[in-house]
Amino acid sequence: LKSWLVIPGSVMFFLFYAKLSRVVSRKQVFIIVLSCFVMFYVVFGIFLYPLKHYVGLSESTQVWLTASLPPTFGPSLVALIDEWPLALFFVVSELWSSGVCQLMFWQVANDVISVRQAKAFYPAIGAMGNLGMVVAGHFLMVFANQRDLVSATAYL
């Protein structure tokens, strides 16, 4: 998925972002990009995921495609096409990580913090980001080690 979908998706996202940055203000770029992601997650949660069995390939199409494609990558490609809603979710989630959590965060930080203040604030922001990963990892281990299915689903 990374090579076939995420890398081309990232290139397309950053080309779109660069074009959008030239056309509208920074605030509008932030709102437009964030709105696109939120709309995708809403559509995915309401339509694509619940209906994933209906939007995939039929069994006969899967068999025909698997037989038609080379055996080295045919089954993988057929599975990818059949599960396209989940593959699309994976790609958009990867773009959320790089496009919103990093690019847009630092865009807002650069708008709010002056160059003179950056020397004091940016190391603290970086340290809090790293501390956040450590804390999240700890909580992940705590919740992942729980065997009780009822309590695990309560946290989801």
Side-chain angles (χ1 to χ4, degrees):
L1 286 175
K2 290 270 189 185
S3 300
W4 292 3
L5 299 176
V6 174
I7 293 172
S10 295
V11 169
M12 288 189 296
F13 171 78
F14 285 108
L15 289 174
F16 169 74
Y17 184 86
K19 176 75 172 172
L20 196 62
S21 296
R22 283 187 237 119
V23 177
V24 297
S25 70
R26 287 182 181 179
K27 182 178 179 180
Q28 289 174 323
V29 168
F30 185 83
I31 291 169
I32 290 169
V33 171
L34 203 59
S35 298
C36 289
F37 277 99
V38 169
M39 283 189 306
F40 169 77
Y41 287 122
V42 167
V43 168
F44 182 83
I46 294 174
F47 299 110
L48 289 178
Y49 187 72
L51 302 173
K52 69 179 180 170
H53 299 294
Y54 300 106
V55 296
L57 299 173
S58 67
E59 278 193 46
S60 60
T61 306
Q62 288 180 23
V63 170
W64 176 77
L65 273 175
T66 304
S68 302
L69 296 171
T72 54
F73 66 87
S76 300
L77 185 59
V78 170
L80 177 68
I81 294 170
D82 184 44
E83 297 289 338
W84 70 267
L86 297 176
L88 184 61
F89 181 83
F90 179 81
V91 171
V92 172
S93 296
E94 287 284 328
L95 293 176
W96 174 269
S97 170
S98 60
V100 175
C101 292
Q102 294 176 15
L103 175 71
M104 293 180 71
F105 169 80
W106 287 110
Q107 174 188 335
V108 171
N110 288 334
D111 288 345
V112 173
I113 299 171
S114 70
V115 174
R116 197 168 34 102
Q117 294 172 324
K119 292 179 183 178
F121 284 109
Y122 283 4
I125 291 171
M128 285 187 290
N130 289 330
L131 180 63
M133 287 188 291
V134 171
V135 171
H138 172 71
F139 279 113
L140 180 63
M141 293 300 293
V142 168
F143 293 133
N145 286 334
Q146 292 182 354
R147 299 284 184 201
D148 185 13
L149 185 59
V150 175
S151 65
T153 56
Y155 293 111
L156 296 178

